[in-house]
Each structure stands twice: as C-alpha cells, then as structure tokens.
C-alpha cells in the first residue's frame, strides 16, 4: 500500500460524503457507516477503502 515500515497509520470511518456550497462550506452530516480513510502520518500515503 505504500506505508513505511513501523509507521503510525490513522484510520477514520467516513460518515457521509457531501458537496461544498458556492462559498466552500458544508453542513456537518449526521453519523452513519461508510468508507474508511487510512493515512500514513509520516509518508502521507492516503487510501480510501470503499464500502463493499
């Protein structure tokens, strides 16, 4: 996946996908299950694991 050996990896559950309005802002969504985002703290590697 591209993470560094021993790297701390952050895992976040995506609750909802929304589009920003014409001012670039969003309304915070209600919580729900969704895709998972994984980010390497050092490498910056970003992986989005979609729902199956």
């Amino acid at each position: 996946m591209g993470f560094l050996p021993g790297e701390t990896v952050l895992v976040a559950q995506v609750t909802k996908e929304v589009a920003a309005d014409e001012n670039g802002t969003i309304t915070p969504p209600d919580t729900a299950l969704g895709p998972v985002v994984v980010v390497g703290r050092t490498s910056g590697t970003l992986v989005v694991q979609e729902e199956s």
Side-chain angles (χ1 to χ4, degrees), residues 32-51:
L33 296 178
V36 173
V37 177
V38 185
V39 182
R41 278 190 169 248
T42 305
S43 66
T45 300
L46 175 72
V47 177
V48 177
Q49 178 66 48
E50 296 292 337
E51 296 177 83

Side-chain angles (χ1 to χ4, degrees), residues 18-27:
V18 298
D21 64 18
E22 64 277 356
N23 297 315
T25 59
I26 65 163
T27 302

